[in-house]
Amino acid sequence: MYPRHLTDFDLSQTPREYCDFLVVGSGIAGLYTALKASRFGRVTVLTKKKMEDSNTEHAQGGIAAAIGREDSPRLHMEDTLTAGAGLCDEDAVRVLVNEGPTCVLELVALGAHFDKRGEDFALTREGAHSERRILHARGDATGEEIEQVLSWKALTSSGVVIHEDIQVIDLIISGGRCYGVLARRPDGEVVAYLSWATVLATGGAGQLYKNTTNPSVATGDGMAMAYRAGAVMADMEFIQFHPTALHIPGKPRFLITEALRGEGAVLVNPAGERFMPRYHPRADLAPRDVVARAMLDEMRKGSADHIWLDGTALGSAFAERFPKVYETCRGFGVDPAVEPIPVAPAAHYMMGGIRTDIDGRTNLEGLYSCGEAACVGVHGANRLASNSLLEGLVFGRRIADSMKGLVDRSSAELRDLAMVAREGRRPFAGTAAEVRRQVQELMWSNVGILRDAAGLGAALARLAELAVFTWSDPSTGEAIETANLVTLAHLVARSALIREESRGSHYRLDFPARDDEHWSHHTILECED
Ligand code: SIN
């Protein structure tokens, strides 16, 4: 149904750039991998817009790590496995929780300032955590702090070269091995970036949905190109919807951090009643999927399109502890210190992605992935809050270590590489913007928080029609992203239809129970399917 490449090319006619390690993406996973890999060879980082345009920059709540006096990696592991609802890979989780604290301290050594209480880090709590273990910076600007430190380090590192405004189109695969990417420069020139190892740290795909907390760059490009190239994709049906995105008609769905609930804010329904204690013993700090479904239930009962998050108990401390949320709400005419914030769920995080082992290796030699683009198995069916920044560090570091031997290969192998892609392009009458809008509407209504076979089947039928768009030669970055969104939408809907049970973030109205007997395994999709 989809072409192997979005555009035709002949490598012998294509300008080339060489490096030892190529990293695509400039969030925490990409930059940390790049810095670590620069100890072993020359690293090039490609990023689609500016360095700071990533999900990392928008992360508020923080980064989870078992560093508190009462905490331990064992407890962190238990919480992660419980949230993952039986689908986490235990080895990967063990690596995450055991190596996490060291990575966080490395980040501190690089210059990241996390908030402190006295001599100790100030740790907050988020949903489904049994301990306070979330480090945060400048209140709710954790991602910004990390991104600034890593960007500065990468920019001043002699071993890392960063190219901004580069839209990657496809992977270059020869003999089953990955040798880099084909990419478009801002002036439209198509260039081959060739390397011994390519790391896709391209982030998530929140833009699949009409309502998302993700920035506009989150179009899942790395996942889609890996799929086209033959990489194994896992668990694409598991999309996390964050319960509390700001709900003001016509405005972006700005994230209202879960840490607010960790510090005492509560959800109230249109009748002004607190409702979460009726739905889960952990009340407002229940797992995100439970909270999001409870909110839908209360919205339906109250004929409303949003719920309220009441953080007024924080009073004058609100602005100091959550400055970003405070300022943003004020900008939209809501004073969260004295009135509740209108919120509704929005697509937030992709648990599935490019299948990797615990060293970030994919099934294609020379291709690695980490961060949200990857599925190493630490999140299972539902990610524990604030585990994602940690994942980027831990597995980025492991990838760097596992790539180091590759620089000994003969440079002739790269220089002599020949490859021609000709698949025949087809004209498309509509615009990329219209196709994208249709995908986002369809995903929100049919492949969202509540799913069933009829809705998923209808979505797949429409996506099959839209697949023709992926055969048109994309002449703009928007068109490349849209082709990727069409492909990923299909993978998410298809995986969601295959899994006939409810588990974690995947809820089927027609199969509402978890079914361990038949579905305790990953959903795997490959391009040949
Ligand atoms: C939040 O601050 O609520 C988001 C944190 C996360 O998604 O891990």
Side-chain angles (χ1 to χ4, degrees), residues 442-489:
L442 198 58
M443 292 297 283
W444 186 254
S445 56
N446 291 26
V447 198
I449 300 172
L450 305 176
R451 305 161 171 185
D452 63 19
L456 293 169
L460 282 166
R462 181 66 190 129
L463 288 166
E465 290 166 2
L466 292 175
V468 66
F469 181 79
T470 65
W471 288 90
S472 59
D473 206 352
S475 54
T476 61
E478 185 189 24
I480 293 167
E481 289 179 342
T482 303
N484 290 333
L485 287 172
V486 170
T487 310
L488 290 181

mmCIF file of all heavy atoms in Angstrom, residues 442-489:
data_model
loop_
_atom_site.group_PDB
_atom_site.id
_atom_site.type_symbol
_atom_site.label_atom_id
_atom_site.label_comp_id
_atom_site.label_asym_id
_atom_site.label_seq_id
_atom_site.Cartn_x
_atom_site.Cartn_y
_atom_site.Cartn_z
ATOM 1 N N LEU A 442 -10.069 11.986 11.815
ATOM 2 C CA LEU A 442 -10.379 10.549 11.802
ATOM 3 C C LEU A 442 -9.766 9.845 13.015
ATOM 4 O O LEU A 442 -10.424 9.039 13.687
ATOM 5 C CB LEU A 442 -9.778 9.973 10.515
ATOM 6 C CG LEU A 442 -10.237 8.640 9.991
ATOM 7 C CD1 LEU A 442 -11.737 8.637 9.746
ATOM 8 C CD2 LEU A 442 -9.489 8.344 8.676
ATOM 9 N N MET A 443 -8.540 10.172 13.308
ATOM 10 C CA MET A 443 -7.854 9.525 14.439
ATOM 11 C C MET A 443 -8.519 9.917 15.749
ATOM 12 O O MET A 443 -8.680 9.096 16.641
ATOM 13 C CB MET A 443 -6.368 9.903 14.456
ATOM 14 C CG MET A 443 -5.574 9.331 13.304
ATOM 15 S SD MET A 443 -5.534 7.527 13.298
ATOM 16 C CE MET A 443 -4.342 7.189 14.581
ATOM 17 N N TRP A 444 -8.904 11.185 15.854
ATOM 18 C CA TRP A 444 -9.529 11.631 17.107
ATOM 19 C C TRP A 444 -10.881 10.943 17.304
ATOM 20 O O TRP A 444 -11.197 10.466 18.389
ATOM 21 C CB TRP A 444 -9.685 13.158 17.107
ATOM 22 C CG TRP A 444 -10.184 13.664 18.426
ATOM 23 C CD1 TRP A 444 -11.436 14.125 18.707
ATOM 24 C CD2 TRP A 444 -9.450 13.725 19.652
ATOM 25 N NE1 TRP A 444 -11.519 14.478 20.032
ATOM 26 C CE2 TRP A 444 -10.320 14.242 20.643
ATOM 27 C CE3 TRP A 444 -8.148 13.395 20.014
ATOM 28 C CZ2 TRP A 444 -9.936 14.438 21.975
ATOM 29 C CZ3 TRP A 444 -7.759 13.588 21.344
ATOM 30 C CH2 TRP A 444 -8.645 14.098 22.297
ATOM 31 N N SER A 445 -11.666 10.857 16.225
ATOM 32 C CA SER A 445 -13.015 10.313 16.412
ATOM 33 C C SER A 445 -13.024 8.787 16.418
ATOM 34 O O SER A 445 -13.805 8.183 17.143
ATOM 35 C CB SER A 445 -13.977 10.868 15.356
ATOM 36 O OG SER A 445 -13.466 10.586 14.080
ATOM 37 N N ASN A 446 -12.149 8.132 15.660
ATOM 38 C CA ASN A 446 -12.259 6.662 15.525
ATOM 39 C C ASN A 446 -11.130 5.879 16.185
ATOM 40 O O ASN A 446 -11.265 4.677 16.389
ATOM 41 C CB ASN A 446 -12.278 6.265 14.047
ATOM 42 C CG ASN A 446 -13.541 6.698 13.338
ATOM 43 O OD1 ASN A 446 -14.173 7.660 13.749
ATOM 44 N ND2 ASN A 446 -13.912 6.001 12.288
ATOM 45 N N VAL A 447 -10.003 6.511 16.455
ATOM 46 C CA VAL A 447 -8.846 5.773 16.989
ATOM 47 C C VAL A 447 -8.335 6.503 18.236
ATOM 48 O O VAL A 447 -7.131 6.594 18.475
ATOM 49 C CB VAL A 447 -7.731 5.627 15.913
ATOM 50 C CG1 VAL A 447 -6.757 4.511 16.296
ATOM 51 C CG2 VAL A 447 -8.304 5.344 14.531
ATOM 52 N N GLY A 448 -9.276 7.030 19.017
ATOM 53 C CA GLY A 448 -8.913 7.847 20.176
ATOM 54 C C GLY A 448 -8.933 7.066 21.473
ATOM 55 O O GLY A 448 -8.460 5.924 21.539
ATOM 56 N N ILE A 449 -9.508 7.678 22.507
ATOM 57 C CA ILE A 449 -9.487 7.084 23.852
ATOM 58 C C ILE A 449 -10.392 5.852 23.912
ATOM 59 O O ILE A 449 -10.044 4.852 24.551
ATOM 60 C CB ILE A 449 -9.925 8.141 24.890
ATOM 61 C CG1 ILE A 449 -8.968 9.339 24.842
ATOM 62 C CG2 ILE A 449 -9.971 7.544 26.300
ATOM 63 C CD1 ILE A 449 -9.394 10.535 25.680
ATOM 64 N N LEU A 450 -11.550 5.912 23.244
ATOM 65 C CA LEU A 450 -12.473 4.776 23.216
ATOM 66 C C LEU A 450 -12.553 4.275 21.775
ATOM 67 O O LEU A 450 -12.792 5.063 20.854
ATOM 68 C CB LEU A 450 -13.858 5.211 23.701
ATOM 69 C CG LEU A 450 -13.922 5.887 25.076
ATOM 70 C CD1 LEU A 450 -15.340 6.340 25.385
ATOM 71 C CD2 LEU A 450 -13.402 4.959 26.170
ATOM 72 N N ARG A 451 -12.399 2.963 21.592
ATOM 73 C CA ARG A 451 -12.331 2.414 20.232
ATOM 74 C C ARG A 451 -13.273 1.229 20.094
ATOM 75 O O ARG A 451 -13.578 0.556 21.077
ATOM 76 C CB ARG A 451 -10.887 1.936 19.955
ATOM 77 C CG ARG A 451 -9.874 3.028 20.174
ATOM 78 C CD ARG A 451 -8.471 2.488 20.363
ATOM 79 N NE ARG A 451 -7.500 3.590 20.361
ATOM 80 C CZ ARG A 451 -6.187 3.431 20.417
ATOM 81 N NH1 ARG A 451 -5.666 2.216 20.510
ATOM 82 N NH2 ARG A 451 -5.388 4.479 20.393
ATOM 83 N N ASP A 452 -13.680 0.937 18.855
ATOM 84 C CA ASP A 452 -14.373 -0.332 18.606
ATOM 85 C C ASP A 452 -14.111 -0.748 17.160
ATOM 86 O O ASP A 452 -13.574 0.028 16.361
ATOM 87 C CB ASP A 452 -15.872 -0.255 18.929
ATOM 88 C CG ASP A 452 -16.621 0.740 18.058
ATOM 89 O OD1 ASP A 452 -16.106 1.110 16.978
ATOM 90 O OD2 ASP A 452 -17.723 1.148 18.455
ATOM 91 N N ALA A 453 -14.506 -2.003 16.849
ATOM 92 C CA ALA A 453 -14.157 -2.563 15.540
ATOM 93 C C ALA A 453 -14.763 -1.734 14.414
ATOM 94 O O ALA A 453 -14.108 -1.507 13.379
ATOM 95 C CB ALA A 453 -14.633 -4.015 15.463
ATOM 96 N N ALA A 454 -16.006 -1.279 14.597
ATOM 97 C CA ALA A 454 -16.657 -0.545 13.515
ATOM 98 C C ALA A 454 -15.892 0.748 13.204
ATOM 99 O O ALA A 454 -15.589 1.057 12.038
ATOM 100 C CB ALA A 454 -18.106 -0.233 13.901
ATOM 101 N N GLY A 455 -15.555 1.491 14.245
ATOM 102 C CA GLY A 455 -14.851 2.757 14.052
ATOM 103 C C GLY A 455 -13.450 2.544 13.486
ATOM 104 O O GLY A 455 -13.001 3.288 12.598
ATOM 105 N N LEU A 456 -12.771 1.529 13.977
ATOM 106 C CA LEU A 456 -11.404 1.268 13.495
ATOM 107 C C LEU A 456 -11.435 0.811 12.037
ATOM 108 O O LEU A 456 -10.605 1.229 11.223
ATOM 109 C CB LEU A 456 -10.735 0.208 14.376
ATOM 110 C CG LEU A 456 -10.463 0.650 15.813
ATOM 111 C CD1 LEU A 456 -10.052 -0.536 16.687
ATOM 112 C CD2 LEU A 456 -9.382 1.741 15.851
ATOM 113 N N GLY A 457 -12.433 -0.033 11.714
ATOM 114 C CA GLY A 457 -12.561 -0.509 10.331
ATOM 115 C C GLY A 457 -12.825 0.663 9.393
ATOM 116 O O GLY A 457 -12.225 0.762 8.311
ATOM 117 N N ALA A 458 -13.712 1.567 9.811
ATOM 118 C CA ALA A 458 -14.033 2.729 8.966
ATOM 119 C C ALA A 458 -12.794 3.609 8.789
ATOM 120 O O ALA A 458 -12.512 4.121 7.698
ATOM 121 C CB ALA A 458 -15.167 3.528 9.595
ATOM 122 N N ALA A 459 -12.017 3.769 9.870
ATOM 123 C CA ALA A 459 -10.796 4.584 9.777
ATOM 124 C C ALA A 459 -9.814 3.950 8.798
ATOM 125 O O ALA A 459 -9.221 4.637 7.952
ATOM 126 C CB ALA A 459 -10.159 4.715 11.165
ATOM 127 N N LEU A 460 -9.669 2.635 8.888
ATOM 128 C CA LEU A 460 -8.710 1.957 7.993
ATOM 129 C C LEU A 460 -9.133 2.083 6.531
ATOM 130 O O LEU A 460 -8.286 2.255 5.647
ATOM 131 C CB LEU A 460 -8.571 0.490 8.401
ATOM 132 C CG LEU A 460 -7.673 0.278 9.618
ATOM 133 C CD1 LEU A 460 -7.821 -1.128 10.194
ATOM 134 C CD2 LEU A 460 -6.206 0.541 9.254
ATOM 135 N N ALA A 461 -10.439 2.012 6.293
ATOM 136 C CA ALA A 461 -10.919 2.130 4.905
ATOM 137 C C ALA A 461 -10.586 3.518 4.344
ATOM 138 O O ALA A 461 -10.088 3.654 3.223
ATOM 139 C CB ALA A 461 -12.426 1.874 4.865
ATOM 140 N N ARG A 462 -10.814 4.555 5.144
ATOM 141 C CA ARG A 462 -10.530 5.918 4.663
ATOM 142 C C ARG A 462 -9.013 6.122 4.517
ATOM 143 O O ARG A 462 -8.554 6.754 3.563
ATOM 144 C CB ARG A 462 -11.134 6.939 5.650
ATOM 145 C CG ARG A 462 -10.930 8.376 5.256
ATOM 146 C CD ARG A 462 -11.679 8.723 3.964
ATOM 147 N NE ARG A 462 -11.302 10.022 3.441
ATOM 148 C CZ ARG A 462 -10.923 10.249 2.188
ATOM 149 N NH1 ARG A 462 -10.899 9.270 1.305
ATOM 150 N NH2 ARG A 462 -10.600 11.453 1.784
ATOM 151 N N LEU A 463 -8.240 5.558 5.457
ATOM 152 C CA LEU A 463 -6.778 5.715 5.375
ATOM 153 C C LEU A 463 -6.229 5.005 4.139
ATOM 154 O O LEU A 463 -5.254 5.459 3.539
ATOM 155 C CB LEU A 463 -6.121 5.183 6.655
ATOM 156 C CG LEU A 463 -6.338 6.062 7.889
ATOM 157 C CD1 LEU A 463 -5.964 5.323 9.167
ATOM 158 C CD2 LEU A 463 -5.537 7.367 7.767
ATOM 159 N N ALA A 464 -6.869 3.898 3.760
ATOM 160 C CA ALA A 464 -6.422 3.192 2.546
ATOM 161 C C ALA A 464 -6.618 4.105 1.333
ATOM 162 O O ALA A 464 -5.790 4.126 0.415
ATOM 163 C CB ALA A 464 -7.204 1.893 2.386
ATOM 164 N N GLU A 465 -7.700 4.881 1.331
ATOM 165 C CA GLU A 465 -7.911 5.829 0.215
ATOM 166 C C GLU A 465 -6.858 6.940 0.253
ATOM 167 O O GLU A 465 -6.318 7.345 -0.773
ATOM 168 C CB GLU A 465 -9.307 6.441 0.305
ATOM 169 C CG GLU A 465 -10.420 5.448 -0.014
ATOM 170 C CD GLU A 465 -11.809 5.945 0.401
ATOM 171 O OE1 GLU A 465 -11.931 7.084 0.900
ATOM 172 O OE2 GLU A 465 -12.755 5.180 0.254
ATOM 173 N N LEU A 466 -6.573 7.406 1.475
ATOM 174 C CA LEU A 466 -5.602 8.507 1.599
ATOM 175 C C LEU A 466 -4.162 8.047 1.304
ATOM 176 O O LEU A 466 -3.281 8.872 1.071
ATOM 177 C CB LEU A 466 -5.666 9.122 3.005
ATOM 178 C CG LEU A 466 -6.949 9.883 3.342
ATOM 179 C CD1 LEU A 466 -6.931 10.346 4.802
ATOM 180 C CD2 LEU A 466 -7.118 11.100 2.418
ATOM 181 N N ALA A 467 -3.946 6.717 1.319
ATOM 182 C CA ALA A 467 -2.581 6.201 1.091
ATOM 183 C C ALA A 467 -2.031 6.639 -0.260
ATOM 184 O O ALA A 467 -0.807 6.713 -0.446
ATOM 185 C CB ALA A 467 -2.570 4.680 1.207
ATOM 186 N N VAL A 468 -2.910 6.939 -1.200
ATOM 187 C CA VAL A 468 -2.452 7.369 -2.521
ATOM 188 C C VAL A 468 -1.587 8.638 -2.397
ATOM 189 O O VAL A 468 -0.679 8.877 -3.210
ATOM 190 C CB VAL A 468 -3.667 7.558 -3.479
ATOM 191 C CG1 VAL A 468 -4.554 8.695 -3.033
ATOM 192 C CG2 VAL A 468 -3.219 7.754 -4.905
ATOM 193 N N PHE A 469 -1.844 9.415 -1.352
ATOM 194 C CA PHE A 469 -1.043 10.633 -1.135
ATOM 195 C C PHE A 469 0.441 10.296 -0.978
ATOM 196 O O PHE A 469 1.315 11.058 -1.397
ATOM 197 C CB PHE A 469 -1.548 11.381 0.107
ATOM 198 C CG PHE A 469 -0.784 12.646 0.379
ATOM 199 C CD1 PHE A 469 -1.054 13.799 -0.333
ATOM 200 C CD2 PHE A 469 0.233 12.670 1.322
ATOM 201 C CE1 PHE A 469 -0.323 14.959 -0.112
ATOM 202 C CE2 PHE A 469 0.969 13.827 1.558
ATOM 203 C CZ PHE A 469 0.683 14.977 0.833
ATOM 204 N N THR A 470 0.741 9.143 -0.369
ATOM 205 C CA THR A 470 2.149 8.793 -0.098
ATOM 206 C C THR A 470 2.905 8.441 -1.386
ATOM 207 O O THR A 470 4.124 8.333 -1.368
ATOM 208 C CB THR A 470 2.262 7.614 0.888
ATOM 209 O OG1 THR A 470 1.708 6.445 0.286
ATOM 210 C CG2 THR A 470 1.546 7.906 2.189
ATOM 211 N N TRP A 471 2.170 8.264 -2.488
ATOM 212 C CA TRP A 471 2.817 7.972 -3.767
ATOM 213 C C TRP A 471 3.086 9.236 -4.589
ATOM 214 O O TRP A 471 3.712 9.170 -5.641
ATOM 215 C CB TRP A 471 1.946 7.012 -4.586
ATOM 216 C CG TRP A 471 1.951 5.632 -4.011
ATOM 217 C CD1 TRP A 471 1.088 5.145 -3.078
ATOM 218 C CD2 TRP A 471 2.860 4.585 -4.312
ATOM 219 N NE1 TRP A 471 1.409 3.843 -2.767
ATOM 220 C CE2 TRP A 471 2.499 3.472 -3.524
ATOM 221 C CE3 TRP A 471 3.960 4.460 -5.177
ATOM 222 C CZ2 TRP A 471 3.183 2.269 -3.559
ATOM 223 C CZ3 TRP A 471 4.637 3.259 -5.224
ATOM 224 C CH2 TRP A 471 4.254 2.177 -4.422
ATOM 225 N N SER A 472 2.576 10.373 -4.105
ATOM 226 C CA SER A 472 2.840 11.609 -4.869
ATOM 227 C C SER A 472 4.205 12.134 -4.427
ATOM 228 O O SER A 472 4.567 11.989 -3.261
ATOM 229 C CB SER A 472 1.752 12.646 -4.577
ATOM 230 O OG SER A 472 1.709 12.939 -3.205
ATOM 231 N N ASP A 473 4.958 12.702 -5.332
ATOM 232 C CA ASP A 473 6.311 13.148 -4.967
ATOM 233 C C ASP A 473 6.192 14.351 -4.023
ATOM 234 O O ASP A 473 5.678 15.389 -4.430
ATOM 235 C CB ASP A 473 7.072 13.523 -6.243
ATOM 236 C CG ASP A 473 8.565 13.360 -6.040
ATOM 237 O OD1 ASP A 473 8.983 13.120 -4.881
ATOM 238 O OD2 ASP A 473 9.300 13.471 -7.031
ATOM 239 N N PRO A 474 6.631 14.233 -2.769
ATOM 240 C CA PRO A 474 6.405 15.349 -1.837
ATOM 241 C C PRO A 474 7.355 16.504 -2.122
ATOM 242 O O PRO A 474 8.571 16.350 -2.067
ATOM 243 C CB PRO A 474 6.688 14.727 -0.466
ATOM 244 C CG PRO A 474 7.611 13.591 -0.740
ATOM 245 C CD PRO A 474 7.376 13.132 -2.143
ATOM 246 N N SER A 475 6.787 17.661 -2.435
ATOM 247 C CA SER A 475 7.663 18.775 -2.819
ATOM 248 C C SER A 475 7.919 19.713 -1.647
ATOM 249 O O SER A 475 8.695 20.642 -1.751
ATOM 250 C CB SER A 475 7.010 19.552 -3.975
ATOM 251 O OG SER A 475 5.715 19.925 -3.576
ATOM 252 N N THR A 476 7.274 19.474 -0.507
ATOM 253 C CA THR A 476 7.492 20.351 0.652
ATOM 254 C C THR A 476 7.661 19.495 1.907
ATOM 255 O O THR A 476 7.289 18.319 1.936
ATOM 256 C CB THR A 476 6.250 21.241 0.911
ATOM 257 O OG1 THR A 476 5.138 20.380 1.182
ATOM 258 C CG2 THR A 476 5.932 22.135 -0.261
ATOM 259 N N GLY A 477 8.194 20.130 2.952
ATOM 260 C CA GLY A 477 8.323 19.456 4.245
ATOM 261 C C GLY A 477 6.959 19.038 4.762
ATOM 262 O O GLY A 477 6.790 17.959 5.324
ATOM 263 N N GLU A 478 5.968 19.877 4.536
ATOM 264 C CA GLU A 478 4.611 19.575 5.005
ATOM 265 C C GLU A 478 4.087 18.297 4.333
ATOM 266 O O GLU A 478 3.434 17.466 4.969
ATOM 267 C CB GLU A 478 3.682 20.752 4.700
ATOM 268 C CG GLU A 478 2.294 20.557 5.256
ATOM 269 C CD GLU A 478 1.300 21.619 4.788
ATOM 270 O OE1 GLU A 478 1.520 22.234 3.727
ATOM 271 O OE2 GLU A 478 0.294 21.796 5.495
ATOM 272 N N ALA A 479 4.415 18.142 3.065
ATOM 273 C CA ALA A 479 3.944 16.954 2.341
ATOM 274 C C ALA A 479 4.648 15.695 2.856
ATOM 275 O O ALA A 479 4.032 14.632 2.994
ATOM 276 C CB ALA A 479 4.180 17.135 0.845
ATOM 277 N N ILE A 480 5.952 15.798 3.158
ATOM 278 C CA ILE A 480 6.686 14.639 3.703
ATOM 279 C C ILE A 480 6.071 14.235 5.044
ATOM 280 O O ILE A 480 5.775 13.059 5.295
ATOM 281 C CB ILE A 480 8.185 14.978 3.864
ATOM 282 C CG1 ILE A 480 8.826 15.179 2.491
ATOM 283 C CG2 ILE A 480 8.919 13.871 4.638
ATOM 284 C CD1 ILE A 480 10.212 15.810 2.549
ATOM 285 N N GLU A 481 5.855 15.226 5.896
ATOM 286 C CA GLU A 481 5.264 14.934 7.211
ATOM 287 C C GLU A 481 3.883 14.307 7.065
ATOM 288 O O GLU A 481 3.530 13.376 7.797
ATOM 289 C CB GLU A 481 5.104 16.232 8.012
ATOM 290 C CG GLU A 481 6.395 16.838 8.495
ATOM 291 C CD GLU A 481 6.147 18.132 9.265
ATOM 292 O OE1 GLU A 481 5.055 18.727 9.139
ATOM 293 O OE2 GLU A 481 7.053 18.553 9.985
ATOM 294 N N THR A 482 3.114 14.828 6.124
ATOM 295 C CA THR A 482 1.740 14.325 5.973
ATOM 296 C C THR A 482 1.751 12.884 5.470
ATOM 297 O O THR A 482 0.964 12.050 5.926
ATOM 298 C CB THR A 482 0.944 15.259 5.036
ATOM 299 O OG1 THR A 482 0.988 16.572 5.605
ATOM 300 C CG2 THR A 482 -0.498 14.810 4.897
ATOM 301 N N ALA A 483 2.650 12.578 4.546
ATOM 302 C CA ALA A 483 2.763 11.186 4.084
ATOM 303 C C ALA A 483 3.121 10.284 5.272
ATOM 304 O O ALA A 483 2.598 9.171 5.412
ATOM 305 C CB ALA A 483 3.829 11.089 2.993
ATOM 306 N N ASN A 484 3.991 10.766 6.133
ATOM 307 C CA ASN A 484 4.360 9.977 7.316
ATOM 308 C C ASN A 484 3.168 9.800 8.251
ATOM 309 O O ASN A 484 2.963 8.714 8.812
ATOM 310 C CB ASN A 484 5.521 10.655 8.053
ATOM 311 C CG ASN A 484 6.820 10.569 7.264
ATOM 312 O OD1 ASN A 484 6.994 9.636 6.473
ATOM 313 N ND2 ASN A 484 7.709 11.522 7.458
ATOM 314 N N LEU A 485 2.374 10.850 8.418
ATOM 315 C CA LEU A 485 1.203 10.747 9.303
ATOM 316 C C LEU A 485 0.181 9.746 8.759
ATOM 317 O O LEU A 485 -0.405 8.969 9.521
ATOM 318 C CB LEU A 485 0.552 12.129 9.476
ATOM 319 C CG LEU A 485 1.324 13.111 10.367
ATOM 320 C CD1 LEU A 485 0.694 14.500 10.312
ATOM 321 C CD2 LEU A 485 1.372 12.621 11.814
ATOM 322 N N VAL A 486 -0.013 9.756 7.443
ATOM 323 C CA VAL A 486 -0.966 8.804 6.846
ATOM 324 C C VAL A 486 -0.495 7.370 7.147
ATOM 325 O O VAL A 486 -1.274 6.512 7.571
ATOM 326 C CB VAL A 486 -1.083 9.025 5.313
ATOM 327 C CG1 VAL A 486 -1.863 7.900 4.655
ATOM 328 C CG2 VAL A 486 -1.722 10.373 5.007
ATOM 329 N N THR A 487 0.793 7.133 6.972
ATOM 330 C CA THR A 487 1.358 5.792 7.196
ATOM 331 C C THR A 487 1.203 5.376 8.662
ATOM 332 O O THR A 487 0.769 4.260 8.968
ATOM 333 C CB THR A 487 2.866 5.797 6.823
ATOM 334 O OG1 THR A 487 2.989 6.378 5.530
ATOM 335 C CG2 THR A 487 3.444 4.407 6.830
ATOM 336 N N LEU A 488 1.546 6.282 9.564
ATOM 337 C CA LEU A 488 1.479 5.943 10.994
ATOM 338 C C LEU A 488 0.041 5.767 11.463
ATOM 339 O O LEU A 488 -0.246 4.905 12.301
ATOM 340 C CB LEU A 488 2.151 7.027 11.828
ATOM 341 C CG LEU A 488 3.659 7.102 11.706
ATOM 342 C CD1 LEU A 488 4.191 8.208 12.603
ATOM 343 C CD2 LEU A 488 4.315 5.774 12.063
ATOM 344 N N ALA A 489 -0.857 6.589 10.939
ATOM 345 C CA ALA A 489 -2.269 6.462 11.315
ATOM 346 C C ALA A 489 -2.742 5.052 10.986
ATOM 347 O O ALA A 489 -3.439 4.402 11.775
ATOM 348 C CB ALA A 489 -3.106 7.503 10.571
#
